[in-house]
Amino acid sequence: MKKIAVLTSGGDAPGMNACIRSVVLTAQRYGIDVIGYLHGYNGPLKQEYIDLNASDVANIIQRGGTVLHSARCLEFKTDEAAKTAAANLDELGVEALLVIGGDGSFRGAAHLANFWSGQVIGLPGTIDNDIYGSDATIGFYTAVETAVSSIDKVRDTADAFERVFLIEVMGRNAGFIGLAAAVASSADHILLPELFRTSDDEMQNIMNHLLCARERHGNNSYIVVVTENIWPGGVTALADELSKKSGSESRPVILGHVQRGGSPVTQDRLLATKLGAFAVEAALAGETNIMVGEQDMQVVTVPLEKTWKKQKALDPYLVKVATDLFDETKIRT
Ligand code: ADP
Ligand code: F6P
């Protein structure tokens, strides 16, 4: 094997740079040249790339974002675009394409594989942690850390004013960030897509819970962590509704893209470094149409299609802790 390419696609995640670094250093060790395609799938489509050597990846392990930039390239869903990319990859003599991204980016890799004879390998890079086949995804731990430290700060002002706060976290359609951040910041209540019933049921539930908490502890602060995309109108609408129904002053906070930024925490750097190296070794072993992941601390390969066809479940015991064992309404006095 003489040449491979790497790109980052979809929502960027802290640790993507650490992963690019690991790919380049490992490839160098095996005498393989690396090019980095820029702006997600726009790179292979428009032949936008840079050569990547060890000196290019020095001092990037600690940087958030991605030095290759990321993008959502809708045109890549067409057959014509995949054929153009395949021809461009062949023109440069690329034998394997490593795609760091989420499940959408993996669908893109599988789409390309229909038209290209080279190898495609996915590396799970998204803050959402919603990819089947890897216990964690690159960026998840940092996003949770950012959410937790932000919620801690909101708690200070919530305590001062004895207010209710509804805090929206990212996750797209998955509750991994919400669950972890809520438990680690001792939030009083959570709304997760995996457990969501109807808005009416959930509103009733919050009201019961808030009432119970206030009866037991007086007018303390009260924090609800809400995963994005589940409440109609988002946390702003939820705060308005709750203020009116409960008579308690409620404020919305949307954490937003701050969760995607910042220096990756150690766990993300380690995961990114392991998976970057393993992806190059998998390419050398002739693997294709797979994702590299980590399960029970061991690196594994998973058929690419499985990563989006199968749904990854929340940790059931953490769910029990959050929604049962620590639930005010279920604690006997
Ligand atoms: P993520 O990888 O974070 O899940 P997206 O779902 O936005 O992000 O997908 C990232 C990119 O992957 C898209 O903008 C597109 O370029 C490519 N992609 C997604 N789905 C497909 C598909 N079915 N066919 C081809 N390319 C796709
Ligand atoms: O997939 C990562 C993610 O940050 C999701 O959590 C969020 O729903 C989405 O991307 C936001 O996308 P955009 O950057 O296009 O607003």
Side-chain angles (χ1 to χ4, degrees), residues 179 190 192 195 314-325:
L179 177 62
I190 34 175
L192 303 174
L195 309 177
L314 295 174
D315 171 352
Y317 197 71
L318 201 55
V319 171
K320 178 178 153 96
V321 168
T323 61
D324 191 8
L325 299 180

Side-chain angles (χ1 to χ4, degrees), residues 33-87:
D33 290 338
V34 185
I35 64 162
Y37 272 120
L38 302 172
H39 307 115
Y41 285 107
N42 290 300
L45 190 57
K46 298 180 183 149
Q47 209 60 313
E48 290 177 359
Y49 67 93
I50 51 172
D51 292 323
L52 287 173
N53 297 301
S55 58
D56 300 309
V57 295
N59 278 331
I60 66 167
I61 196 169
Q62 73 277 30
R63 282 175 58 188
T66 157
V67 291
L68 295 177
H69 304 284
S70 192
R72 297 209 164 90
C73 171
L74 297 182
E75 193 188 342
F76 200 69
K77 294 188 177 180
T78 64
D79 291 357
E80 291 68 34
K83 283 179 196 163
T84 304

